[in-house]
Amino acid sequence: MSRLDSFIRRLTAQRDILNHVAADLDLPGEGALMEIGLGNGRTFNHLRELFPNRRIVAFDRAMGAHASSVPVQEDLVIGEISQTAPAFIGKEAAFVHADIGTGYPEKDAVTLTWLPDLAAGMLAKGGIAVSGLPLDHPMLKPLPVPASVPTDRYFLYRKI
C-alpha cells in the first residue's frame, strides 16, 4: 500500500471512529474533551463540529495548526506533552483523543510508557478514549471499533 493510500485509510478510520463516538456512545457529564496532539488542527476542527457545546483542550509540542483550527488560548497547552498534560489528570474529561504515534516502534514505545496512564488519569469514570496506539491500562476497557476501521488502526476504550 502506498503511503498516500495508508494516509487516506488512517484519516477515514479516524473520522469514522470519532463519528461513532458522537453518534453511538454516551459521554459522561459535562467534562471537556482532550485532544492529545493538535497537529494541524483537522481533528480538533472535526471534534468542534461533533461536540459544539463541549470545551476542547488541545496539547502539542509546538503550534502548527491552521488558523481556522486553533483553540482559544486558555484551551491550548504548548510544550512537551508528557510534561504539560499531567496537570490535567483528575479533571474528569469526558473524552480523550490521542493520535501521536510516529510509526517508529522505538519512539512509540517511549510514548507508551506515559500515554496510557495519562489518558486513564484524565478521564472521568465512563469516559471514552480513542488512540492510534494501544492503551494497555487496567482502568481502560477495550470497546469494539466500527467495522470500517481496520484492525489495530485505532483503539477505543471506556474508563471503568
Side-chain angles (χ1 to χ4, degrees), residues 25 29 32 60 68 70 73 83 104 116 129 138 149:
L25 301 178
D60 215 325
S68 67
V70 176
Q73 186 169 348
Q83 297 171 11
Y104 294 100
V149 177

Side-chain angles (χ1 to χ4, degrees), residues 2 24 63 67 96 102-103 108 131 138 145 147 159:
S2 74
D24 303 320
M63 177 52 166
V96 170
T102 65
D108 291 345
S131 177
V145 298
K159 183 172 180 182

Side-chain angles (χ1 to χ4, degrees), residues 34-37 57 59-60 77 79-93 95-100 111-124 128-129 131 135-140 159:
M34 303 292 176
E35 171 68 329
I36 310 298
V57 180
F59 303 82
D60 215 325
V77 182
E80 191 60 44
I81 296 169
S82 63
Q83 297 171 11
T84 59
F88 288 78
I89 289 175
K91 298 293 185 182
E92 301 292 310
F95 177 78
V96 170
H97 174 259
D99 187 18
I100 56 175
T111 300
L112 287 171
T113 64
W114 56 265
L115 183 59
D117 286 336
L118 176 69
M122 286 178 156
L123 283 171
I128 298 292
S131 177
L135 301 177
D136 184 23
H137 192 280
M139 296 302 295
L140 297 175
K159 183 172 180 182

Side-chain angles (χ1 to χ4, degrees), residues 4-124:
L4 176 60
D5 284 334
S6 179
F7 178 72
I8 292 167
R9 189 173 93 157
R10 181 175 70 85
L11 291 184
T12 300
Q14 184 182 54
R15 181 203 58 211
D16 291 354
I17 203 166
L18 295 175
N19 290 350
H20 169 64
V21 169
D24 303 320
L25 301 178
D26 292 325
L27 296 181
E30 297 297 319
L33 295 105
M34 303 292 176
E35 171 68 329
I36 310 298
L38 177 62
N40 64 23
R42 279 187 296 257
T43 304
F44 171 82
N45 183 268
H46 194 66
L47 289 172
R48 195 166 50 189
E49 286 189 11
L50 291 174
F51 301 98
N53 298 318
R54 295 271 187 162
R55 178 183 183 205
I56 305 172
V57 180
F59 303 82
D60 215 325
R61 295 174 75 192
M63 177 52 166
H66 186 273
S68 67
S69 300
V70 176
V72 295
Q73 186 169 348
E74 60 268 20
D75 292 339
L76 178 61
V77 182
I78 299 296
E80 191 60 44
I81 296 169
S82 63
Q83 297 171 11
T84 59
F88 288 78
I89 289 175
K91 298 293 185 182
E92 301 292 310
F95 177 78
V96 170
H97 174 259
D99 187 18
I100 56 175
T102 65
Y104 294 100
E106 64 280 358
K107 290 182 180 182
D108 291 345
V110 172
T111 300
L112 287 171
T113 64
W114 56 265
L115 183 59
D117 286 336
L118 176 69
M122 286 178 156
L123 283 171

